[in-house]
Amino acid sequence: MAFKLDISKAYDKVNWDLLFKVLLKLGFNQKMVSMIRECVTTVQFSVLINGTPRGCFKAEKGIRQGDPLSPYLFIMIAEVLSRNVTHLVSNGRLQGFKVASTLPPSNIQQFMDDTFLFGKSSVMEAKGWKILLANYAKALEQCINYEKSNLFFFNTPNELQLRILSILRCKMATLPGTYLGLPLIVKEVTPTF
């Protein structure tokens, strides 16, 4: 099964203190973190009233969409989830999804604030994801929107699909579909020379 997560207002809810701790844990030196802190925390906003800026207020959390630095900072926050998933798979608490017997299990794919989790279609895997995501959301003040998240099943009995959907409380998606405008399933093409 594959679980496409929807993280509500992912950029807006980034906790600055946690972001800076993550950067230090990932090996950024204190001087670099201080420069990033200055860029992130000195933002001021005004409200346009009839086309004229009025007032001024400072943000207390979040990173700005459209800022060239923001995608990189969000990737650092998302790395926390990726490392936790990888750790749980390596410890056998999650199984991941094996594309081929000679390859390690694929368990997570991330592109900015879009995240796909991959795993065996089982109640245990679904419960593991639910606990993992609850811990991630609590620790990093992110909010998983289960109503907008989608679950894809592959060769899974209907009864098991319903049990898993009741645990994750999300919608079942069907294939073929698109992601970022590209098809999720590509038919095999025979090259012509």
Side-chain angles (χ1 to χ4, degrees):
M1 65 183 169
F3 191 23
K4 191 214 176 275
L5 299 177
D6 181 88
I7 302 174
S8 295
K9 302 189 181 288
Y11 278 44
D12 298 340
K13 295 187 179 204
V14 171
N15 178 302
W16 290 341
D17 290 332
L18 293 172
L19 169 65
F20 305 135
K21 286 179 185 176
V22 167
L23 292 174
L24 289 169
K25 187 78 172 169
L26 290 174
F28 286 79
N29 66 37
Q30 188 62 50
K31 184 175 180 180
M32 178 62 80
V33 172
S34 295
M35 288 190 295
I36 292 170
R37 180 187 305 272
E38 189 69 20
C39 291
V40 170
T41 62
T42 57
V43 176
Q44 295 185 356
F45 298 95
S46 295
V47 177
L48 289 178
I49 300 176
N50 296 327
T52 306
R54 301 274 190 214
C56 188
F57 61 94
K58 291 184 73 165
E60 295 180 3
K61 65 179 179 178
I63 51 179
R64 294 173 292 162
Q65 291 192 31
D67 183 328
L69 186 59
S70 293
Y72 299 104
L73 296 177
F74 190 80
I75 288 170
M76 303 301 172
I77 289 290
E79 181 66 17
V80 172
L81 179 60
S82 179
R83 287 184 182 200
N84 282 327
V85 169
T86 302
H87 176 74
L88 291 173
V89 169
S90 68
N91 287 341
R93 298 197 51 200
L94 291 175
Q95 293 188 5
F97 180 79
K98 283 191 132 232
V99 177
S101 60
T102 57
L103 297 174
S106 175
N107 45 40
I108 188 168
Q109 292 295 316
Q110 295 175 293
F111 180 75
M112 307 312 283
D113 61 342
D114 287 331
T115 300
F116 277 89
L117 295 175
F118 299 96
K120 180 180 179 186
S121 293
S122 73
V123 169
M124 291 297 290
E125 194 88 350
K127 287 180 179 179
W129 284 354
K130 190 77 171 187
I131 292 167
L132 168 78
L133 294 171
N135 290 338
Y136 172 74
K138 183 178 179 183
L140 294 175
E141 298 181 17
Q142 296 289 297
C143 180
I144 310 298
N145 185 344
Y146 288 95
E147 291 178 8
K148 288 186 177 180
S149 296
N150 294 301
L151 196 54
F152 297 87
F153 290 103
F154 311 99
N155 300 322
T156 305
N158 288 342
E159 182 182 313
L160 181 56
Q161 289 180 19
L162 294 174
R163 289 180 66 196
I164 292 169
L165 287 167
S166 71
I167 292 166
L168 295 173
R169 302 212 182 275
C170 63
K171 294 185 283 185
M172 183 168 64
T174 57
L175 294 172
T178 60
Y179 173 66
L180 299 175
L182 299 172
L184 287 173
I185 292 183
V186 179
K187 293 181 182 176
E188 188 173 323
V189 177
T190 306
T192 57
F193 296 98

